[in-house]
Amino acid sequence: VQLQASGGGLVQAGGSLKLSCAASGRTLSPNIMGWFRQAPGKEREFVAYFSRNTGRTSSADPVKGRFAISRDNAENTVYLQMNNLKPEDTAIYYCAAGNSYARVARAYDYWGQGTQVTVSS
């Protein structure tokens, strides 16, 4: 499975961005597609995931109410709508795919290349 992420950029605090991640390479994409982020000097952290099979979603507490994950199963694409962005959201955002309902990076089998999100104050 190959994952191609896009949509990052520079935005002012309070602004919005929408990230996209398209999966290709297999007839059936993994059940779970999600997002992680990694800020300089910090560990990679969970942001959100979406289950193709059940529609179940999960989001990390720091982004609840501001970020929304959605998925287009027909296009094997997952989106992350990010609203009310804060400087602390600045990070490289990675899309990931796997088959476990997990919030830890090691549970995911496939990773995209990352897209930079920078929020200025």
Side-chain angles (χ1 to χ4, degrees):
V1 175
Q2 290 79 47
L3 302 176
Q4 181 68 43
S6 62
L10 173 64
V11 65
Q12 289 187 334
S16 299
L17 283 173
K18 185 174 184 178
L19 306 182
S20 301
C21 177
S24 62
R26 279 179 51 175
T27 302
L28 185 64
S29 64
N31 177 30
I32 306 296
M33 291 184 72
W35 293 93
F36 286 74
R37 66 186 182 185
Q38 188 165 17
K42 295 187 176 182
E43 294 187 353
R44 193 168 297 190
E45 66 174 2
F46 169 76
V47 176
Y49 72 60
F50 194 111
S51 166
R52 183 198 67 237
N53 294 348
T54 66
R56 173 178 167 182
T57 64
S58 179
S59 300
D61 287 345
V63 307
K64 282 182 178 177
R66 300 188 298 121
F67 292 11
I69 189 168
S70 60
R71 183 167 178 170
D72 182 335
N73 289 333
E75 298 294 329
N76 287 333
T77 301
V78 67
Y79 304 95
L80 186 69
Q81 177 67 47
M82 305 185 293
N83 299 323
N84 191 21
L85 282 159
K86 303 176 180 181
E88 52 263 43
D89 295 318
T90 294
I92 298 175
Y93 283 70
Y94 296 91
C95 64
N99 289 295
S100 298
Y101 291 92
R103 295 179 164 217
V104 292
R106 64 180 180 271
Y108 288 75
D109 302 309
Y110 308 99
W111 291 86
Q113 82 285 6
T115 184
Q116 177 71 48
V117 172
T118 303
V119 185
S120 62
S121 58

